Amino acid sequence: MRMIEKIRQYFKKKNLSTRNNRKKVGIILFATSIGLFFLFVARLSYIVVVGDVAGESLETQTKNLYQGSEVVKAKRGTIYDRNGEAIAEDATSYSLYAVLSKAYTNGDEKLYAEEKNFDKLAEIISDAVGDVDKKETLQVLKEGSQENQYQVDIPNAKSISLQQREKIENAMDEQNIAGLYFTEHPSRIYPNGVFSSHFIGYADVQNDEETDQESLVGRMGIEEDYNDVLKGKDGKIIYQKDNYQNPLPGTVAESQSAVDGKDIYTTLDNRLQSSLEILMDQAWKDIDAQDLTAVLMDAKSGEIVSMSQRPTFNPETKKGINDDDFVWSNLFVEDNYEPGSTMKTMTVASAIDNGAFDPEETYKPGETKLADATIRDWDYERGSKPSLTMRQALSWSSNVGMVKLEQRMKDSWQRSLQEFGFGRSTHSGLSGEKSGTLPEDNVVSHAMTAFGQAIGVTQFQMLQAFSSISNDGAMLKPQVIDKIVDETNDDEIVNQPEVVGHPISEKAAKDVRKYMRDTVESEEYGTAYDQYKVPNEHVSAKTGTAQISQDGSYLQGDYLYSVVLMTPSEDPQYVMYLTMNQPEQEDTEVLPSIANPLLERAMDLNEVDESEDNQETSSERVRVEDYRNLEADAAASDVQKKGLTPVVIGDGNKVVQQSVDNGERLMSSEKLLLLTNDKTPMMPDVSGWSKADLVKLGDLLDVDVSFEGEGYCVEQSVEPYAEISDNKLHFDLEED
């Protein structure tokens, strides 16, 4: 009890009664509340004034909540041939996915893929996209459903065309089922397929890690070299969002316009390039070689009108890129090689100007000693000619004769090599271009350059040097870009022929062209007698057979075969250069099988083009309008008024697709194909159509096309005005 009493006395002394304790607690709570209030007011005032919470801007967060933004994609520039035919252009592709979540509805409407419809959906996809296997699709749908996945991607359905998408959507509408949806991607199409592919290159979709935006980026050729010119600049739009993050109607405001990429017109001629690709395909099947190249240049301007190499690839499907023998290099500028005897044309031209060449002078061919080396003619082992004139030394391709000329010219020949442009880049604008190599500073190497050994060159350097012979002494830079057009600013940059030197005189050029005719016209002294010919024209030619240099020595039995051709000899319109590298066995018919038909076609087209120019036919390009959703008759009438040739496909009343996009330009009288909403379109009569127009028809109908022959259509697999029921069309072509 005493202890309890002591405790009471203690609390009494300290005035710690229940009432007093309540008063103290109340005072503490009141003071705390006042403190918290003023702290809250201070913090709120700070937030209102500064607008920042934990480093996050309230204004920014509010904008993010109620304001959305969207990237406006810039159109990548189109790559054209010299006549305005598209070689590479933008398109849209789609990837396909199926939503499986049963929560994906709109009221009572089921928007997901129901399990009972899986078989129908797989059938629809398989019918529309040939690369998609129905069983595989069905398995993906079932597994996704069993695992309660929200959605699944459809295998092998990553690059679906607009036509395929529409076919899938229409089939779902007809069967009243849902569940399939599409993601849009930018893509690049190459309507001509294999078409100077190493030169044009290709563009692939790339994901920006920061913005997560897809864009096309050049990976090779012009697509890569001119990527900054082609790509354009994306724009941006700003819009207001509601509480559910949906755009509010009428609140979209464009804050930054997209700037489309510039268009590039190459110097290639679609008509000649298409012919060359067919000829190269045929020749490549007949030989087993490391590589094969062919290039045709306008002798008056230096413009490359066709250029192709093998092996090659399809830039759209990428077929060929993964082959074991595929070469990534553009062989025309990136391959540094010893040219062989085609160099002798430059040797003779320089010797003429240096007074070292007498066409009637005779000498004994076979072999000659020079320092510690013995230089032999190609026919030494089987018995050389007993004697040759210096003129015959060129057509018979005598190394000994060329060394004699080089020895007389002394240092002048080494200077001539530099004047011809060897040892430095042609500045073509193509990436990876080599500068070549001049010979080592010794008497043997100097002499060997006279017949094309001990020197490294590129094909563009050879073309540049050949141009001085074809163009009466004026050397032209090889051109691959005709012009760059900025449609946005209505501006264009046009490349003009560029004379880069005069290494030889007019007389020397004309004399060499005359002596080169012996190569194909002299039965006894021409190394290519009767092999190269163009109807009604003389051809100047020089063949070459060069040993392959590797690791400081020459390979035994491996050669680079080549030929340069100029026609007509008197006043060349074209220069053609072909090479065949290390074939299993020499075939003298391979290079002529490419050169002869292409040169004949080039001369025929040159005649037609000149005739049209003389008739003052309008060369103005006609801008194509958007005829989609217009009545077919009205659209055709408008196309006709604009100077184009309309071709209406199907009996539908409205146009749904057209062969050339809105805003692009066609030459006067060119065909514009208009596809109507007829579900069973009829095959038009395509007699006389060019390959380019037939390719456009295939693209428009979404069918595969194949060809036999070259030139213009003379027979079609589906008769005119018959229903197009197959997904393949075949055309036989013949020269006009």
Side-chain angles (χ1 to χ4, degrees):
M1 293 293 294
R2 291 185 62 184
M3 181 59 69
I4 295 174
E5 187 63 29
K6 284 182 179 182
I7 292 172
R8 287 178 180 171
Q9 289 296 326
Y10 173 79
F11 279 105
K12 185 176 182 180
K13 184 178 178 181
K14 295 292 184 179
N15 197 26
L16 296 177
S17 65
T18 303
R19 182 176 180 183
N20 287 337
N21 287 343
R22 288 175 179 165
K23 284 174 75 175
K24 288 179 180 180
V25 170
I27 292 170
I28 292 170
L29 290 175
F30 179 75
T32 302
S33 299
I34 294 295
L36 290 173
F37 174 77
F38 280 106
L39 182 63
F40 174 77
V41 170
R43 179 59 175 163
L44 184 61
S45 300
Y46 173 83
I47 292 172
V48 170
V49 173
V50 178
D52 184 274
V53 176
E56 295 287 343
S57 170
L58 291 179
E59 182 180 1
T60 301
Q61 293 299 320
T62 303
K63 283 185 178 180
N64 289 340
L65 185 61
Y66 293 105
Q67 182 173 283
S69 65
E70 189 174 310
V71 173
V72 180
K73 300 298 295 181
K75 175 182 176 292
R76 187 175 177 85
T78 301
I79 300 175
Y80 296 98
D81 84 327
R82 66 194 299 124
N83 300 315
E85 292 282 350
I87 300 173
E89 56 187 332
D90 270 8
T92 300
S93 64
Y94 305 89
S95 56
L96 180 62
Y97 66 94
V99 175
L100 304 176
S101 173
K102 295 180 180 180
Y104 194 52
T105 60
N106 181 19
D108 294 332
E109 184 182 3
K110 297 176 181 178
L111 302 179
Y112 60 90
E114 297 182 75
E115 192 168 350
K116 65 178 182 179
N117 294 327
F118 282 177
D119 192 71
K120 293 180 180 179
L121 291 172
E123 183 72 32
I124 288 172
I125 297 169
S126 180
D127 287 345
V129 187
D131 294 335
V132 176
D133 183 70
K134 178 183 175 181
K135 292 182 179 178
E136 187 177 1
T137 302
L138 197 57
Q139 183 179 352
V140 168
L141 292 172
K142 289 179 178 178
E143 288 178 355
S145 178
Q146 291 169 2
E147 296 171 4
N148 294 320
Q149 294 186 36
Y150 183 85
Q151 67 185 54
V152 291
D153 293 328
I154 305 300
N156 299 323
K158 305 296 183 184
S159 299
I160 293 176
S161 67
L162 177 60
Q163 290 87 348
Q164 290 171 325
R165 172 179 175 165
E166 291 175 344
K167 188 173 182 179
I168 291 171
E169 290 175 332
N170 291 337
M172 286 196 298
D173 288 342
E174 289 175 3
Q175 299 187 42
N176 195 27
I177 57 178
L180 298 179
Y181 301 93
F182 301 86
T183 302
E184 184 176 302
H185 307 285
S187 67
R188 195 76 161 162
I189 61 172
Y190 300 84
N192 299 303
V194 176
F195 192 90
S196 195
S197 300
H198 283 79
F199 166 53
I200 299 299
Y202 67 95
D204 260 352
V205 175
Q206 176 178 288
N207 236 6
D208 191 301
E209 293 182 359
E210 294 182 1
T211 63
D212 198 34
Q213 291 291 325
E214 291 182 327
S215 61
L216 289 166
V217 177
R219 298 296 188 193
M220 194 179 185
I222 287 181
E223 290 278 27
E224 180 179 13
D225 299 339
Y226 288 80
N227 191 64
D228 289 343
V229 173
L230 291 163
K231 71 178 182 180
K233 186 177 180 181
D234 291 341
K236 192 176 185 180
I237 59 172
I238 306 295
Y239 55 83
Q240 297 298 314
K241 299 187 293 187
D242 60 18
N243 291 337
Y244 300 101
Q245 304 298 293
N246 297 316
L248 290 170
T251 65
V252 176
E254 187 174 313
S255 60
Q256 183 180 348
S257 300
V259 179
D260 290 340
K262 298 176 183 177
D263 297 329
I264 294 179
Y265 287 76
T266 68
T267 58
L268 298 179
D269 187 315
N270 182 290
R271 302 166 297 180
L272 293 172
Q273 186 64 39
S274 296
S275 297
L276 177 58
E277 297 295 355
I278 294 171
L279 293 168
M280 290 285 282
D281 281 341
Q282 294 169 347
W284 189 242
K285 291 177 183 176
D286 297 335
I287 62 169
D288 183 6
Q290 292 292 315
D291 54 69
L292 178 70
T293 71
V295 56
L296 184 66
M297 181 176 73
D298 187 317
K300 303 299 182 185
S301 64
E303 294 179 338
I304 306 298
V305 294
S306 61
M307 174 169 58
S308 184
Q309 69 183 65
R310 292 293 181 277
T312 188
F313 67 99
N314 186 312
E316 189 164 337
T317 64
K318 307 302 184 294
K319 182 180 180 181
I321 283 183
N322 295 320
D323 292 352
D324 293 337
D325 63 346
F326 182 71
V327 178
W328 281 96
S329 302
N330 179 343
L331 296 177
F332 296 97
V333 294
E334 295 184 66
D335 186 26
N336 185 43
Y337 67 101
E338 295 187 8
S341 295
T342 50
M343 178 68 79
K344 292 172 182 174
T345 56
M346 276 71 82
T347 305
V348 171
S350 295
I352 292 172
D353 281 339
N354 280 280
F357 182 85
D358 178 358
E360 302 303 322
E361 175 193 353
T362 60
Y363 72 97
K364 180 176 172 52
E367 67 175 11
T368 185
K369 297 283 187 180
L370 193 62
D372 60 346
T374 300
I375 294 173
R376 295 186 173 91
D377 283 331
W378 62 273
D379 60 345
Y380 175 77
E381 292 184 357
R382 67 182 191 185
S384 303
K385 297 282 187 183
S387 70
L388 292 172
T389 66
M390 279 300 177
R391 174 171 177 168
Q392 292 164 349
L394 179 62
S395 60
W396 191 242
S397 201
S398 169
N399 294 343
V400 172
M402 295 304 112
V403 170
K404 288 183 179 296
L405 295 178
E406 186 274 334
Q407 291 292 290
R408 294 172 187 172
M409 289 188 283
K410 299 181 180 179
D411 292 340
S412 295
W413 169 239
Q414 297 306 306
R415 186 172 62 252
S416 292
L417 286 174
Q418 296 185 51
E419 290 174 353
F420 279 118
F422 298 114
R424 65 175 184 273
S425 171
T426 66
H427 304 294
S428 64
L430 302 177
S431 61
E433 180 175 0
K434 298 288 194 300
S435 297
T437 55
L438 292 172
E440 295 178 359
D441 190 14
N442 62 69
V443 65
V444 175
S445 293
H446 286 184
M448 290 176 69
T449 60
F451 54 86
Q453 303 276 185
I455 183 173
V457 303
T458 67
Q459 293 201 35
F460 268 34
Q461 286 176 337
M462 292 297 285
L463 285 169
Q464 184 169 271
F466 292 145
S467 73
S468 65
I469 297 173
S470 66
N471 204 40
D472 292 342
M475 189 166 70
L476 295 165
K477 172 183 174 179
Q479 300 272 13
V480 292
I481 303 297
D482 181 24
K483 61 183 177 180
I484 298 176
V485 177
D486 184 354
E487 292 283 359
T488 304
N489 298 314
D490 194 23
D491 188 27
E492 64 180 38
I493 300 172
V494 180
N495 289 330
Q496 300 294 336
E498 183 179 347
V499 176
V500 291
H502 294 80
I504 58 175
S505 66
E506 180 178 349
K507 178 183 182 305
K510 289 182 175 179
D511 285 350
V512 170
R513 293 202 305 267
K514 180 172 66 175
Y515 304 151
M516 288 171 68
R517 284 174 52 184
D518 296 343
T519 302
V520 292
E521 294 180 3
S522 174
E523 185 173 359
E524 186 176 355
Y525 295 101
T527 54
Y529 172 68
D530 205 34
Q531 291 182 20
Y532 298 94
K533 58 190 76 173
V534 176
N536 305 316
E537 304 290 356
H538 289 295
V539 177
S540 293
K542 182 68 193 81
T543 58
T545 304
Q547 287 182 283
I548 307 297
S549 176
Q550 183 174 303
D551 300 327
S553 62
Y554 289 105
L555 301 177
Q556 295 300 315
D558 289 323
Y559 298 96
L560 174 78
Y561 298 95
S562 61
V563 64
V564 58
L565 306 157
M566 302 175 189
T567 191
S569 295
E570 300 79 6
D571 184 20
Q573 296 295 315
Y574 294 102
V575 177
M576 189 170 189
Y577 184 48
L578 304 97
T579 71
M580 179 171 57
N581 186 19
Q582 301 179 66
E584 283 295 313
Q585 58 185 23
E586 182 183 4
D587 188 336
T588 58
E589 296 181 359
V590 172
L591 298 184
S593 72
I594 300 170
N596 291 341
L598 189 70
L599 284 172
E600 181 179 352
R601 179 155 175 74
M603 292 304 298
D604 288 344
L605 290 174
N606 188 63
E607 215 174 289
V608 171
D609 292 344
E610 285 183 352
S611 174
E612 290 177 350
D613 289 342
N614 291 337
Q615 295 173 12
E616 297 184 351
T617 302
S618 173
S619 61
E620 182 180 351
R621 298 187 186 280
V622 179
R623 186 180 186 278
V624 175
E625 302 294 338
D626 190 350
Y627 296 105
R628 291 171 299 177
N629 297 319
L630 292 182
E631 289 187 5
D633 290 341
S637 177
D638 189 71
V639 171
Q640 188 76 41
K641 289 176 183 176
K642 292 185 182 301
L644 298 173
T645 303
V647 179
V648 179
I649 301 173
D651 293 326
N653 59 353
K654 284 190 176 181
V655 176
V656 293
Q657 291 293 330
Q658 56 195 68
S659 60
V660 177
D661 289 339
N662 172 36
E664 294 188 11
R665 297 180 183 275
L666 291 176
M667 296 291 290
S668 178
S669 299
E670 280 196 58
K671 294 180 180 66
L672 180 64
L673 313 184
L674 305 172
L675 180 65
T676 67
N677 56 351
D678 187 348
K679 291 185 178 180
T680 56
M682 301 296 178
M683 182 70 188
D685 186 349
V686 296
S687 300
W689 283 30
S690 68
K691 182 182 178 183
D693 286 332
L694 295 172
V695 169
K696 290 179 182 177
L697 175 65
D699 291 341
L700 201 63
L701 297 174
D702 196 28
V703 298
D704 294 327
V705 295
S706 59
F707 304 91
E708 184 173 333
E710 60 178 295
Y712 299 89
C713 183
V714 294
E715 190 172 343
Q716 54 197 81
S717 59
V718 178
E719 293 296 321
Y721 312 112
E723 182 178 335
I724 304 172
S725 56
D726 198 359
N727 61 353
K728 292 183 180 180
L729 294 174
H730 179 79
F731 304 99
D732 291 339
L733 309 180
E734 286 185 6
E735 290 289 350
D736 203 4

